[in-house]
Amino acid sequence: ADVFQSHEEDDRKVRRREKNRVAAQRSRKKQTQKADKLHEEYESLEQENTSLKREIGKLTDEMKHLSEVLKDHEKICPLLHCTMNFVTIPRPDALTSCLPR
């Protein structure tokens, strides 16, 4: 009876070890998949970040250009030099009186 019981215990140990080995493999595989997914997400965010930085550069250049255009325009704009530009309710005749003839 002891030999039979010892053999059953050995079988249980073998099955438990095998089950544990399979569970450990599954866990390692899951960790690897999670790491791969995080790496892909990182790569995607890096690309998006690069794209956004490029867009910021373009918009900054556009803003500088438009600021220069505005500054140049302010120098020659008749409406900015008109004494009537402080009127709270704009009248068509007031605006036309400021325009060059």
Side-chain angles (χ1 to χ4, degrees):
D2 283 340
V3 173
F4 180 70
Q5 208 172 17
S6 175
H7 185 64
E8 270 187 7
E9 286 178 18
D10 288 347
D11 282 351
R12 258 188 262 140
K13 282 182 184 178
V14 168
R15 283 195 305 270
R16 190 171 61 235
R17 283 185 186 144
E18 178 63 17
K19 190 176 177 182
N20 189 27
R21 186 183 65 77
V22 170
Q25 281 179 331
R26 222 178 11 247
S27 176
R28 285 190 291 272
K29 184 177 180 181
K30 193 174 177 181
Q31 274 187 308
T32 302
Q33 288 173 337
K34 187 176 180 180
D36 289 346
K37 185 178 178 185
L38 283 173
H39 185 70
E40 286 175 17
E41 187 178 347
Y42 167 81
E43 291 291 330
S44 175
L45 289 171
E46 280 291 321
Q47 287 178 356
E48 184 181 358
N49 192 27
T50 300
S51 175
L52 289 171
K53 284 180 179 179
R54 209 173 8 251
E55 186 177 351
I56 287 170
K58 288 178 184 176
L59 291 171
T60 301
D61 290 345
E62 184 181 2
M63 184 180 71
K64 287 176 186 174
H65 170 71
L66 292 173
S67 293
E68 287 297 318
V69 168
L70 178 63
K71 192 164 60 173
D72 291 344
H73 177 75
E74 285 174 340
K75 293 174 188 173
I76 61 168
C77 180
L79 296 177
L80 291 175
H81 300 294
C82 179
T83 57
M84 300 296 290
N85 66 354
F86 296 109
V87 176
T88 55
I89 302 171
R91 297 186 324 247
D93 59 323
L95 292 178
T96 55
S97 69
C98 294
L99 296 175
R101 302 194 195 277

